[in-house]
Amino acid sequence: MGMDRAQADYMGMLATVMNALAMQNALERVGVTTRVQSAIPMASVCEPYIRRRAERHMEKGRVVIFGAGTGNPFFTTDTAAALRAAEMGCDALLKGTQVDGVYSADPRKDPAAARYDQLTYHEVLAKDLQVMDAAAISLSRETACRSSYSTFTRPARSLR
């Protein structure tokens, strides 16, 4: 007997707000002005997600960090990132991972996993690569938002 899926998703959304606040702290320590916006209202710690407000922050040169996914259970943080990137008209979506790029399988579990230097969105979907969920990949493809995947210690690999 496991946890209710919607409840678990809400817990995950709260964790992303915690991560957003940690990222805000790290960026502001090096002089980058930031704002955190959350899809779940929590006025004591961050702003609510309002697209036009986020646009104004970015026009003023601020970095906007989005937390709490879409605010709805059953949608992944990948889909939320693709959605926010589309709404903000971003040229690129960056995703940090625990491996150094996109592979045919998890290279930590499968030593025969092949690494791809570059892929199209169609190839990711056709090969059912698990780099992001299909909804996020499809939305990124529809909005022509380039996605890059990287560890924190190596340069990004591109998906066009």
Side-chain angles (χ1 to χ4, degrees):
M1 175 169 236
M3 179 176 273
D4 175 72
R5 167 70 191 272
Q7 194 75 4
D9 284 356
Y10 282 117
M11 290 171 64
M13 287 178 237
L14 294 174
T16 68
V17 174
M18 292 168 53
N19 290 340
L21 294 171
M23 178 66 76
Q24 179 183 42
N25 184 65
L27 289 172
E28 289 192 345
R29 283 178 173 251
V30 295
V32 178
T33 305
T34 66
R35 295 294 184 270
V36 172
Q37 290 194 347
S38 170
I40 298 173
M42 34 184 95
S44 298
V45 296
C46 59
E47 298 177 5
Y49 170 69
I50 299 170
R51 184 181 60 84
R52 290 179 63 133
R53 185 182 289 177
E55 288 172 338
R56 298 302 161 262
H57 286 315
M58 291 182 351
E59 287 169 1
K60 293 177 180 179
R62 298 175 184 140
V63 170
V64 181
I65 305 165
F66 301 107
T70 65
N72 300 293
F74 305 102
F75 289 90
T76 68
T77 55
D78 290 343
T79 297
L83 176 62
R84 296 296 181 245
E87 288 177 312
M88 295 295 106
C90 295
D91 296 323
L93 169 61
L94 307 177
K95 179 177 179 174
T97 66
Q98 296 179 4
V99 296
D100 67 343
V102 179
Y103 286 82
S104 58
D106 185 341
R108 297 170 300 170
K109 297 177 183 174
D110 182 354
R115 189 171 155 284
Y116 298 99
D117 286 325
Q118 195 167 11
L119 291 160
T120 65
Y121 291 116
H122 178 74
E123 289 171 321
V124 171
L125 293 171
K127 295 175 188 223
D128 195 28
L129 301 176
Q130 299 300 305
V131 65
M132 286 191 342
D133 67 82
I137 293 291
S138 294
L139 182 57
S140 294
R141 180 181 60 187
E142 289 171 21
T143 60
C145 184
R146 185 174 54 85
S147 297
S148 292
Y149 306 89
S150 178
T151 62
F152 288 105
T153 59
R154 299 211 172 133
R157 305 284 180 235
S158 270
L159 186 76
R160 297 174 198 258

